[in-house]
Amino acid sequence: IPGLLKYFDQESIGSMIAPKPVFYSNGAEESKAKIGPGWINTEDGQETMIEIEETYKLFSSSYVEYMEHPGGHEFNNEMAAEFFENYL
């Protein structure tokens, strides 16, 4: 939704998905190169995920994971396939 981050922070948006399993990945170079939406940039990605994980702890059967991969804003087939295999 365009402009959503004007009204909500990343933690709030990410927490709204709970308790459904979710996997966030981000390219290590994404925010440095100013490419892609920068949903969770490398500078605050870990802090953002700690707050989202706190929401997920309220649900005993939930799963949330964040992983940073080399490169920019791109899809990582290997990580996605593993998540899909386990949770879909």
Side-chain angles (χ1 to χ4, degrees):
I1 300 174
L4 190 62
L5 289 175
K6 287 187 214 175
Y7 305 103
F8 302 98
D9 59 19
Q10 295 173 345
E11 297 86 353
S12 298
I13 296 168
S15 294
M16 288 191 293
I17 298 168
K20 295 179 180 181
V22 66
F23 176 78
Y24 296 103
S25 70
N26 196 61
E29 301 299 318
E30 184 171 341
S31 63
K32 295 175 189 171
K34 303 292 184 205
I35 55 176
W39 164 245
I40 297 179
N41 63 45
T42 55
E43 289 79 24
D44 67 0
Q46 292 298 326
E47 184 178 319
T48 297
M49 291 310 302
I50 288 169
E51 293 188 33
I52 292 172
E53 287 170 348
E54 289 299 315
T55 301
Y56 271 76
K57 286 179 184 176
L58 299 171
F59 303 94
S60 61
S61 63
S62 61
Y63 173 89
V64 61
E65 186 175 334
Y66 170 74
M67 182 174 279
E68 191 172 285
H69 59 82
H73 187 68
E74 57 198 35
F75 190 78
N76 186 300
N77 290 328
E78 186 176 311
M79 290 189 296
E82 183 177 334
F83 174 77
F84 293 154
E85 205 172 285
N86 291 325
Y87 294 98
L88 295 183

